Amino acid sequence: MLIVMHHKALDKQIKAVMDAVERMGLTAKPIPGSERTAIGVLGNKGYVDDTNIRGLPGIKEIIHVSKPYKLVSRDFHPRATIIKVGRHEIGEGKRPIVIAGPCAVESEEQILKTAAAVKNSGADMLRGGAFKPRTGPHTFQGLKEQGLKLLALAKKETGLPIVTEVMSTENVELVGEYADILQVGARNMQNFDLLTELGRIHKPILLKRGMSATVEEFLAAAEYIYAGGNHQIVLCERGIRTFETATRNSLDLSVIPLIKELTHLPVIVDPSHATGRRSLVPPMAKAALVVGANGIMVEVHPEPDKALSDGPQSLTIPGFEKLMDEVRKLDTFLGY
Ligand code: PEP
Ligand code: MN
């Protein structure tokens, strides 16, 4: 439940409402805003009977929130959250970030070469999977801890912050030692034990949308991390499953402006996994920026034909360089 106070409500009226909420055994969370003060009510399992609150002075409106997410909603937190990673900032009003790199870390040569190239072209962060969630068990599963060490080497050489996936609760600590942003892959979006564990750490999380997840389920997954105490969450739209098989997934771009209405968290787009085809990545990356994404994440490989995973959707180094020239023009056009 959300209690919206009148613009001119007195501090003592706000306090009286909060006390009344606490007397009901619930938690009252003040949400100051530039246009209104609201009080979020937390701790209820179902509908809250507001009989004892409704008549208190200073209240403008009581909104019963039936959504499975509250803390990440705009209702509870009107001001946009900005995630800081080193000197980079991700979120509303900031220049969209570009995360680039291979699907998987394959070798020292591959990751160092890619890192140097994407840095040179203007990428802000390096991606690369060390723990890979593959559909079948007979394919390359990632270099695991050795992959993390190679990412650390690439970071040392280029200064690029690292984005890499964590697949299980037992590896949260290990991956957290190397990653600047820990990625939760689409297949793990509803791994609630993992989300709960990530709520306990103090590092940014990149939460990818499950391939069959509704927006509500996506935001409810973010709520797990947020409610646990970790408020540094970046959402990532990476395409969903539809009847269409011509592309790997269907990029659901309309959720970008929608998610920005519903939540204060930043949202980025991964056009690589969304389309599965190299030729479609640049147009959809640019489209993502136009609809207001706070960044893009793109797969790049020095030799996509030899990639151990996701070669067909990986940009070549010159392909990424060209995309970045266009991204820079678009950033200027968008006013960044
Ligand atoms: C990835 O980004 O490496 C990845 C596996 O993507 P997704 O979880 O979106 O399939
Ligand atoms: Mn991939």
Side-chain angles (χ1 to χ4, degrees), residues 18-92:
M18 289 179 58
D19 289 347
V21 170
E22 302 274 349
R23 274 199 300 278
M24 291 167 72
L26 301 170
T27 306
K29 182 177 175 287
I31 307 166
S34 54
E35 279 140 47
R36 61 171 198 188
T37 290
I39 298 163
V41 177
L42 300 169
N44 56 300
K45 293 278 176 266
Y47 187 86
V48 180
D49 178 2
D50 62 19
T51 327
N52 295 333
I53 297 172
R54 218 183 298 150
L56 296 175
I59 294 180
K60 181 168 173 240
E61 192 187 358
I62 295 184
I63 303 169
H64 288 272
V65 184
S66 56
K67 298 172 193 148
Y69 59 89
K70 291 179 186 177
L71 302 172
V72 304
S73 77
R74 279 271 183 188
D75 295 334
F76 268 60
H77 190 296
R79 198 150 25 93
T81 289
I82 306 292
I83 309 295
K84 292 196 175 75
V85 182
R87 63 184 176 81
H88 301 284
E89 292 185 312
I90 312 172
E92 207 166 273

Side-chain angles (χ1 to χ4, degrees), residues 102-104 127 129 132-133 165 183-188 208-209 211 238 248-249 270 273 297 299 310:
C103 179
R127 65 147 288 149
K132 292 302 303 174
E165 178 158 351
Q183 174 174 319
V184 177
R187 290 156 190 80
N188 264 325
K208 299 189 87 174
R209 181 182 182 183
M211 57 189 85
R238 46 76 74 205
R248 183 173 177 181
N249 291 286
D270 168 354
H273 292 88
M297 181 160 79
E299 286 185 342
D310 288 348

Side-chain angles (χ1 to χ4, degrees), residues 72-139:
V72 304
S73 77
R74 279 271 183 188
D75 295 334
F76 268 60
H77 190 296
R79 198 150 25 93
T81 289
I82 306 292
I83 309 295
K84 292 196 175 75
V85 182
R87 63 184 176 81
H88 301 284
E89 292 185 312
I90 312 172
E92 207 166 273
K94 307 293 177 191
R95 179 180 61 76
I97 52 137
V98 178
I99 304 169
C103 179
V105 181
E106 298 171 358
S107 67
E108 179 173 328
E109 191 196 349
Q110 174 246 21
I111 194 66
L112 292 185
K113 193 169 177 187
T114 314
V118 298
K119 157 104 188 193
N120 216 10
S121 304
D124 302 296
M125 297 183 197
L126 177 68
R127 65 147 288 149
F131 292 91
K132 292 302 303 174
R134 303 304 302 283
T135 300
H138 307 302
T139 51

Side-chain angles (χ1 to χ4, degrees), residues 187-206:
R187 290 156 190 80
N188 264 325
M189 189 206 82
Q190 284 188 315
N191 180 338
F192 300 116
D193 286 346
L194 180 60
L195 300 177
T196 302
E197 197 59 35
L198 293 172
R200 298 200 183 107
I201 66 168
H202 303 285
K203 284 226 160 171
I205 308 298
L206 180 67

Side-chain angles (χ1 to χ4, degrees), residues 12 112 147 171 176 211 214 218:
K12 67 174 186 193
L112 292 185
N171 283 333
M211 57 189 85
T214 63
F218 189 16

